[in-house]
C-alpha cells in the first residue's frame, strides 16, 4: 500500500472483478452478496441515524436501530461480521508489545524459526508470514468465542424453553445469527477510537496534496508547503476520547442485545438469563479493545 503503482494495479484488478461479477450475476445481486466493501458499509450503515425511506426521502432514527431489522443472519454473513470485528482488532494488535514478543518467539524457537526460514526462501518475508498466519487466526478465535457464547446463551435459557416466542432460535447457529449484529456498535466505536488519531495526523497530508496532487510542483491553493503536525492530538485527549467512544458503543450494544433477546426468547426471564453470557463477551471484547488502544501510550 506504500507503492502507488502496486496500489493502482490492485484497484484496477478489483474493479475488473467487480464489473465482471455484476455482468454475470447482476448488479444488485453482486453488490449485496459478493462485493465486500458494499456488504461492510451496509453493516455499518445499519448503525447510522439516517435511513432511506420511500423514494429519495431519509428518516431519522436512533443510533443502532437498523441493527434490529431483518431475520436471523446466515452462517456466511455471521462469519463476515465477525471478520469485520476481528480485523480491526488485529490491526491494533500489531502495534502492541505482545505482537513483538510473538515475533521474538518465532525467531528464537528452533522448529518454528526454521520453518519460517524455509518458507521465506520462496520470497515471503518472515514478518509478512507471521502477520498472515495471525490475521487468519484472529477471525477463527472470534468465531470460537462467539459460538461458545451462543451455546451458553442457549443452555441458560433451556428452563424457559416453553415460554419462547414462535420462531425463537433453538440452535447454536440460530442464536449466533440472531445476535451477531448486536456486536456492531462496539465495532463502530472501536473503529472510531482506533483510527481517530490516524485521521487527524495522516489526514493532514490531504492539505499539501490538494495543491500538488501529481507531484508536478504545483501550488493550486497555496498549501503545497504545509507541514504535517503530528502533535495535533495529545495522548491524554486521545485516550479519553477513545475510552468514551468504546464505553458508549458498549452501552448501545448491550441495549440492542437485550431488545433482540426479548423478541427472540419471548419470556422476560429467558431474555435476562441469555444476556449474562452475551454481556460477558461484550465486556471481554471491550477490555481487549481498551488494552490494545492503551499499548502505544503506556507500553506494557
Amino acid at each position: 500500500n506504500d507503492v502507488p503503482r502496486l496500489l493502482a494495479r490492485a484497484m484496477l484488478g478489483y474493479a475488473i472483478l467487480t464489473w465482471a461479477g455484476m455482468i454475470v450475476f447482476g448488479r444488485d445481486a453482486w453488490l449485496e452478496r459478493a462485493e465486500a466493501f458494499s456488504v461492510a458499509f451496509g453493516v455499518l450503515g445499519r448503525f447510522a441515524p439516517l435511513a432511506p425511506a420511500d423514494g429519495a426521502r431519509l428518516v431519522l432514527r436512533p443510533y443502532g436501530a437498523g441493527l434490529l431489522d431483518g431475520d436471523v443472519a446466515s452462517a456466511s454473513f455471521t462469519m463476515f461480521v465477525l471478520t469485520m470485528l476481528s480485523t480491526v482488532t488485529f490491526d491494533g494488535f500489531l502495534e502492541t508489545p505482545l505482537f513483538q514478543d510473538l515475533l521474538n518467539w518465532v525467531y528464537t524457537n528452533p522448529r518454528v524459526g526454521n520453518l519460517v526460514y524455509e518458507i521465506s526462501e520462496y520470497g515471503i518475508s518472515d514478518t509478512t508470514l507471521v502477520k498472515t498466519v495471525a490475521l487468519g487466526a484472529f477471525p477463527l478465535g472470534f468465531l470460537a468465542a462467539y459460538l461458545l457464547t451462543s451455546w451458553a446463551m442457549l443452555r441458560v435459557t433451556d428452563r424457559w424453553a416453553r415460554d419462547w416466542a414462535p420462531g425463537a432460535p433453538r440452535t447454536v447457529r440460530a442464536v449466533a445469527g440472531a445476535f451477531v449484529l448486536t456486536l456492531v456498535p462496539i465495532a463502530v466505536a472501536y473503529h472510531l477510537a482506533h483510527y481517530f488519531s490516524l485521521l487527524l495526523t495522516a489526514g493532514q497530508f490531504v492539505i499539501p496534496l490538494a495543491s500538488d496532487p501529481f507531484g508536478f510542483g504545483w501550488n493550486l491553493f497555496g498549501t503545497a508547503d504545509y507541514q504535517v503536525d503530528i502533535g495535533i492530538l495529545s495522548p491524554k485527549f486521545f485516550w479519553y476520547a477513545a475510552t468514551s467512544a468504546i464505553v458508549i458503543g458498549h452501552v448501545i450494544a448491550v441495549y440492542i442485545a437485550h431488545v433482540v433477546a426479548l423478541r427472540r426468547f419471548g419470556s422476560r426471564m429467558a431474555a435476562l438469563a441469555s444476556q449474562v453470557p452475551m454481556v460477558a463477551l461484550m465486556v471481554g471484547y471491550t477490555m481487549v479493545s481498551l488494552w490494545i488502544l492503551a499499548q502505544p501510550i503506556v507500553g506494557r
Side-chain angles (χ1 to χ4, degrees), residues 241-271:
T243 303
S244 300
I246 290 180
V247 170
I248 293 173
H250 176 82
V251 172
I252 296 175
V254 171
Y255 176 78
I256 293 176
H258 185 62
V259 174
V260 173
L262 288 173
R263 290 182 178 180
R264 296 292 177 179
F265 293 112
S267 167
R268 183 175 180 83
M269 290 303 300

Side-chain angles (χ1 to χ4, degrees), residues 185-206:
I186 301 178
V188 172
Y190 185 56
H191 271 79
L192 293 174
H194 181 64
Y195 295 113
F196 181 58
S197 61
L198 180 66
L199 175 64
L200 293 184
T201 54
Q204 296 178 62
F205 284 103
V206 173

Side-chain angles (χ1 to χ4, degrees), residues 24-48:
V24 175
F25 299 99
R27 183 190 65 180
D28 294 338
W30 183 264
L31 293 179
E32 291 176 3
R33 298 179 177 272
E35 208 285 304
F37 293 102
S38 296
V39 178
F41 287 126
V43 172
L44 298 177
R46 295 191 183 199
F47 184 78

Side-chain angles (χ1 to χ4, degrees), residues 186 246-247 249-250 281-291:
I186 301 178
I246 290 180
V247 170
H250 176 82
L281 176 69
M282 290 181 174
V283 170
Y285 183 33
T286 300
M287 291 174 61
V288 171
S289 301
L290 291 174
W291 176 81

Side-chain angles (χ1 to χ4, degrees), residues 39 48-49 94 103 116 125 170 172 210 212 290:
V39 178
L94 296 180
L103 286 177
V116 170
S125 70
R170 296 174 182 265
V172 173
D212 188 16
L290 291 174

Side-chain angles (χ1 to χ4, degrees), residues 62-279:
Y63 279 100
L67 299 171
L68 296 171
D69 299 334
D71 299 323
V72 174
S74 64
S76 60
F77 187 75
T78 299
M79 189 64 213
F80 183 86
V81 174
L82 293 176
T83 301
M84 287 180 59
L85 306 182
S86 62
T87 48
V88 67
T89 306
F90 170 77
D91 192 29
F93 173 72
L94 296 180
E95 302 176 9
T96 65
L98 183 59
F99 177 72
Q100 188 59 49
D101 292 340
L102 176 63
L103 286 177
N104 295 335
W105 176 82
V106 169
Y107 296 146
T108 57
N109 186 283
R111 293 184 178 180
V112 179
N114 290 335
L115 178 61
V116 170
Y117 175 77
E118 292 177 2
I119 297 177
S120 65
E121 292 293 313
Y122 294 94
I124 303 176
S125 70
D126 47 4
T127 303
T128 300
L129 179 61
V130 174
K131 288 182 178 180
T132 302
V133 173
L135 177 60
F138 259 66
L140 296 178
F142 268 62
L143 176 63
Y146 184 62
L147 290 180
L148 179 62
T149 302
S150 301
W151 172 83
M153 293 172 66
L154 202 60
R155 290 299 301 271
V156 299
T157 56
D158 278 345
R159 62 181 299 183
W160 294 282
R162 294 180 180 178
D163 299 327
W164 283 0
R170 296 174 182 265
T171 65
V172 173
R173 194 193 73 77
V175 172
F179 286 88
V180 68
L181 287 177
T182 64
L183 297 173
V184 171
I186 301 178
V188 172
Y190 185 56
H191 271 79
L192 293 174
H194 181 64
Y195 295 113
F196 181 58
S197 61
L198 180 66
L199 175 64
L200 293 184
T201 54
Q204 296 178 62
F205 284 103
V206 173
I207 299 175
L209 287 174
S211 289
D212 188 16
F214 302 106
F216 292 158
W218 298 347
N219 194 5
L220 299 177
F221 306 106
T223 60
D225 298 326
Y226 176 83
Q227 299 296 318
V228 174
D229 180 13
I230 61 175
I232 191 173
L233 193 66
S234 69
K236 181 179 180 180
F237 177 82
F238 164 73
W239 173 249
Y240 281 111
T243 303
S244 300
I246 290 180
V247 170
I248 293 173
H250 176 82
V251 172
I252 296 175
V254 171
Y255 176 78
I256 293 176
H258 185 62
V259 174
V260 173
L262 288 173
R263 290 182 178 180
R264 296 292 177 179
F265 293 112
S267 167
R268 183 175 180 83
M269 290 303 300
L272 288 173
S274 72
Q275 291 309 282
V276 175
M278 177 58 74
V279 170

